[in-house]
Amino acid sequence: LRQNPNNAVVHMGDSSGRVTLWTPTLREPVVTMSCHPGHVTSLDVHGNYMVTCGSEGMWKIHDLRKYGFVHQFKTYGHAPSDVDVSMTGMVAVGFGDHVQIWRNVFTQSWQDNNRPYLEQHFNGAGVNSVRFRPYEDVLGVGHSGGFGSMLVPGAGFANFDSFEANPFETKRQRREREVRGLLEKLQPDSIMLDPGKI
């Protein structure tokens, strides 16, 4: 279950291999996509693309503009357990006791990009979750032995937008941001697939 940061649509994967897109104004899904033959183990959204992982050992890239499949990659040994996409478009995939980081997967095909950018093995510790830190080149890895981290050069934006997410905000700035956020809250009927219609 992930929310698209561009249009606030919620993406939900299920055990039949489908991904459904939901808005708060409708009782049925807006879009239903068949992504994997087995169940969907994880998914994430980045811009106009969605990354899904399946129990058959594949992770796939889908284009949300045409709701179609772009290309796929295969893991070895185990099915992918989690996926996350960084601010700059790097994809972290956790499977078994391995974590792979891929770059340029949204712009290049499998033939041009057939090797991971970085790879880390957590000997004997099954990887449960992977998450990139915003605005930093750090990947957090949760595994059966605890927590690990990886430095991933180029994963985060170097310059942050202080009006969007200021990591150095003061107490007064935080209060003002909370009040502004409550006043500018999205109405449920403004959440739709095409944010350009607003």
Side-chain angles (χ1 to χ4, degrees), residues 45-59:
V45 180
H46 178 74
N48 293 321
Y49 295 97
M50 178 176 63
V51 181
T52 60
C53 297
S55 59
E56 79 279 8
M58 304 293 282
W59 60 278

Side-chain angles (χ1 to χ4, degrees), residues 155-171:
F157 286 132
N159 299 324
F160 63 91
D161 183 3
S162 63
F163 290 111
E164 186 67 31
N166 185 358
F168 307 109
E169 71 184 352
T170 63
K171 189 174 183 180

